[in-house]
Amino acid sequence: MRIDIISVIPDMMEGFINESILARAQKKGLVEIHLHNLRDYTLDKWRRVDDYPYGGSAGMIIQCEPIDRCISALKAERDYDEVIYTSPDGEQFDQHVANDLSLKGNIIILCGHYKGIDQRVREHLITREISIGDYVLTGGELAAAVMTDAIVRLIPGSISDEQSALSDCFQDDMLAAPIYTRPSEYKGWKVPDVLLSGNEAKIRKWEFDRAMERTKKIRPDLLK
């Protein structure tokens, strides 16, 4: 898999993509993550990529031309399954979207910035707009980082225990069951006896019941 991230401030993501699971996945050759500075694709001598919006509204807008130049340069080298724009008014990013994107071959993530991007980019170059929540960030770099992490960890081989990813919250539209580790008792706080019983069937039933209980209490919307 290859993920190309286009940003006005790519240095903000440099450390993130070269640590932990993302770094290991790249070293194993499971994924390539490339950062692209949008300013490298402008003809402006000051390397500006933004301008005032027509109509006199507030804020600054990222221009069409540098985005088109960057995306066109990438597309000239390979085909892409998705060109994603991180936007607060896009579709909600969740585990199902992460699952879907993890099966793609190549994707581009364009990080929003300032007041946003020229609408013509959204109409002619973007295939999918995704939001990580109903709030506005200074830029889309954090959203791109969240999405990249959620996607890459699902690629087989990225984490040592692949079953761990399959049992994450939201994979089956429920929250995960409570989890415990050693010691079995601490300050009088005990691990449930069923988890120490070794009875696989009872443990799986306990996990399902607790997961359902937590979901009904905390996120009942998931059960709809």
Side-chain angles (χ1 to χ4, degrees):
M1 183 182 196
R2 177 180 169 118
I3 302 175
D4 287 277
I5 302 173
I6 304 171
S7 169
V8 175
I9 44 175
D11 289 349
M12 182 178 179
M13 298 190 64
E14 189 72 45
F16 180 80
I17 68 169
N18 289 309
E19 296 291 340
S20 189
I21 289 174
L22 296 184
R24 292 199 297 271
Q26 291 178 83
K27 288 178 181 177
K28 290 180 179 180
L30 300 174
V31 64
E32 293 181 38
I33 304 174
H34 298 271
L35 301 177
H36 305 275
N37 191 333
L38 188 60
R39 298 185 189 279
D40 293 339
Y41 295 87
T42 180
L43 299 180
D44 184 275
K45 66 178 181 179
W46 306 112
R47 303 184 80 220
R48 286 184 55 182
V49 297
D50 61 311
D51 208 336
Y52 294 101
Y54 285 123
S57 59
M60 300 294 284
I61 311 297
I62 299 181
Q63 299 167 303
C64 284
E65 187 173 22
I67 296 175
D68 183 39
R69 285 177 176 274
C70 184
I71 291 176
S72 295
L74 292 172
K75 284 186 172 181
E77 298 178 356
R78 68 194 59 81
D79 293 327
Y80 285 90
D81 301 292
E82 297 280 8
V83 179
I84 298 167
Y85 170 48
T86 59
S87 170
D89 54 5
E91 67 173 294
Q92 195 79 26
F93 185 72
D94 60 18
Q95 194 63 47
H96 297 296
V97 175
N99 290 344
D100 176 55
L101 294 176
S102 72
L103 300 176
K104 306 295 184 182
N106 303 311
I107 63 174
I108 293 173
I109 301 177
L110 171 63
C111 299
H113 212 75
Y114 307 117
K115 188 68 174 179
I117 62 175
D118 191 298
Q119 179 65 24
R120 290 167 291 186
V121 174
R122 302 172 83 162
E123 293 173 353
H124 300 287
L125 300 176
I126 301 303
T127 64
R128 196 167 186 175
E129 299 187 18
I130 297 178
S131 167
I132 62 169
D134 293 337
Y135 46 85
V136 178
L137 298 170
T138 302
E141 287 74 19
L142 290 174
V146 167
M147 290 165 53
T148 300
D149 184 90
I151 292 166
V152 172
R153 70 187 306 277
L154 292 170
I155 299 173
S158 292
I159 57 179
S160 56
D161 183 358
E162 294 180 13
Q163 291 301 312
S164 176
L166 296 177
S167 61
D168 284 340
C169 279
F170 312 116
Q171 285 289 13
D172 51 4
D173 294 317
M174 290 198 303
L175 301 184
I179 51 177
Y180 302 83
T181 188
R182 298 176 183 177
S184 59
E185 183 174 348
Y186 176 72
K187 289 186 175 182
W189 308 334
K190 297 182 179 181
V191 173
D193 291 338
V194 64
L195 298 181
L196 308 176
S197 69
N199 187 314
E200 185 77 12
K202 287 186 177 180
I203 291 173
R204 296 290 85 82
K205 183 179 185 304
W206 180 90
E207 290 176 336
F208 177 83
D209 290 344
R210 297 293 80 72
M212 180 63 74
E213 184 179 272
R214 292 189 69 231
T215 305
K216 287 180 178 179
K217 180 179 180 181
I218 302 172
R219 290 292 305 277
D221 57 296
L222 294 175
L223 300 176
K224 297 178 182 179

